[in-house]
Amino acid sequence: MRRCALLAFFALGYAGYLLLGALVISAVERPYESRLRAELRELKAAFLESSPCLPEAALERFLGVVLSANRHGVALLHNASAAPSNWDFASAFFFCSTLITTVGYGYTTPLSDAGKAFCIFYALLGVPFTMLLLTATVQRLIGALTSGPLEYLALKWGYTRRSLSCGHLLLLAAVVLVAFFLVPAAIFSTLEDKWSYLDAFYFCFISLCTVGLGDYVPGEQPGQPLRSLYKISVTVYLLLGLLAMLLLLQTFHKAAELHGLSDLVLLPQDPPHEEDHERILEGQEPPAEPAESAPVQPPLSAGGQPNYASISR
């Protein structure tokens, strides 16, 4: 009953968090959107005024087609993209990696029905396979980077794992922050001419949280040197970054278990039977079924000697 009440409280808090986020982002972004709409209307009116032979309906149709193509990553502007095609090998490799890792920027999307159908079946197998690979890898890293250091420090310094878990979690979070956010953001802001450091950090965070809004995609600026190598390198960065984020989440979960935070909401797991637990620890095999009882020998007569008639055949 207590866990259900806490879960209901967390659900209400989550709903409030969503409402707060909606209010804040609306208050921040709505004025900027209004100014941008006003600027576009002024540009459109000035263009129609300078081109009296062009009907407004024809301009609307033209802009609609251009914007629809731009949503699929096809731009009409001169030197709008770093490559003549969005489906060369490097771009396709980057697209497949964002598809099966559920990052999904949405900047480049399939245009044909065959491509859409392929994406469905490809993701149907690729997403579980990726999750399995990442989970299996993190399970092996947990022993070397989480459980192992805690056990070593507990034996060396005499502290409990519970007291060491918070410091270890903060240290791991600092390493992940530097190695997969601060340093890559500096690299991206250097390689991408139009990205500020905040833009690059925003891209790293949105990507490694598998949100993938698609407003910033690396390697799409005109004249990008070594674009194919750059795209493949970003794919490797995404995979390693997802591993680091999953490792950090698993470490946080273990720290929460050590401090009893998980028991507040999660249901208790059914403990194994005591006999099975002892058998697993001792490495014993389960007892064998009793064999069929041997035939009972007939009793010897008092004072008599054994003879062949008393032996069971």
Side-chain angles (χ1 to χ4, degrees):
M1 185 64 183
R2 180 186 175 186
R3 290 188 176 90
C4 293
L6 285 174
L7 180 60
F9 176 75
F10 285 156
L12 291 176
Y14 185 76
Y17 190 72
L18 288 175
L19 293 175
L20 177 63
L23 292 174
V24 171
I25 197 65
S26 177
V28 171
E29 291 295 326
R30 204 166 187 176
Y32 183 81
E33 180 193 25
S34 300
R35 289 196 300 269
L36 185 59
R37 287 180 182 273
E39 291 176 3
L40 290 176
R41 290 193 184 99
E42 291 177 2
L43 289 175
K44 178 183 173 182
F47 180 78
L48 290 175
E49 184 178 357
S50 61
S51 305
C53 297
L54 178 64
E56 183 177 0
L59 179 62
E60 292 283 348
R61 288 194 299 271
F62 175 74
L63 292 177
V65 174
V66 171
L67 293 176
S68 177
N70 187 69
R71 284 194 295 267
H72 291 87
V74 179
L76 187 64
L77 298 176
H78 181 65
N79 291 331
S81 179
S85 174
N86 290 323
W87 297 107
D88 54 32
F89 177 78
S91 300
F93 186 81
F94 180 73
F95 170 79
C96 291
S97 68
T98 59
L99 179 64
I100 62 177
T101 55
T102 68
V103 175
Y105 291 117
Y107 178 79
T108 302
T109 56
L111 303 175
S112 63
D113 292 339
K116 296 174 184 177
F118 170 77
C119 286
I120 293 174
F121 290 103
Y122 187 73
L124 189 64
L125 297 177
V127 171
F129 184 53
T130 303
M131 296 299 105
L132 176 63
L133 177 63
L134 294 178
T135 303
T137 306
V138 167
Q139 283 182 347
R140 286 153 178 81
L141 292 176
I142 281 286
L145 300 177
T146 299
S147 302
L150 289 180
E151 293 291 344
Y152 174 77
L153 294 176
L155 292 175
K156 184 177 180 180
W157 292 348
Y159 294 102
T160 61
R161 295 181 60 191
R162 180 177 179 179
S163 60
L164 293 171
S165 60
C166 289
H168 174 265
L169 177 61
L170 293 177
L171 178 61
L172 183 61
V175 172
V176 171
L177 177 64
V178 172
F180 292 95
F181 290 94
L182 298 180
V183 174
I187 296 174
F188 282 124
S189 62
T190 303
L191 296 178
E192 300 288 338
D193 295 335
K194 297 182 180 180
W195 290 16
S196 64
Y197 186 82
L198 177 61
D199 296 334
F201 188 89
Y202 167 81
F203 163 77
C204 295
F205 182 82
I206 292 298
S207 299
L208 297 187
C209 290
T210 67
V211 177
L213 297 178
D215 46 353
Y216 290 94
V217 180
E220 296 299 328
Q221 64 180 353
Q224 178 70 55
L226 301 176
R227 181 176 180 272
S228 299
L229 180 61
Y230 184 34
K231 285 282 189 180
I232 295 176
S233 300
V234 174
T235 301
V236 175
Y237 160 74
L238 290 178
L239 293 175
L240 294 179
L242 290 177
L243 274 177
M245 294 295 290
L246 190 56
L247 175 64
L248 185 62
L249 290 176
Q250 290 289 338
T251 304
F252 173 79
H253 179 67
K254 287 186 175 295
E257 284 183 345
L258 290 175
H259 287 79
L261 298 179
S262 300
D263 297 334
L264 296 177
V265 180
L266 301 181
L267 295 176
Q269 298 180 354
D270 295 333
H273 295 292
E274 185 176 355
E275 296 179 358
D276 296 338
H277 186 66
E278 293 178 355
R279 190 180 304 128
I280 292 173
L281 293 179
E282 298 175 1
Q284 297 178 355
E285 296 292 334
E289 295 292 333
E292 295 183 0
S293 59
V296 180
Q297 299 291 339
L300 296 176
S301 58
Q305 300 292 331
N307 53 35
Y308 290 106
S310 64
I311 300 176
S312 175
R313 291 178 175 83

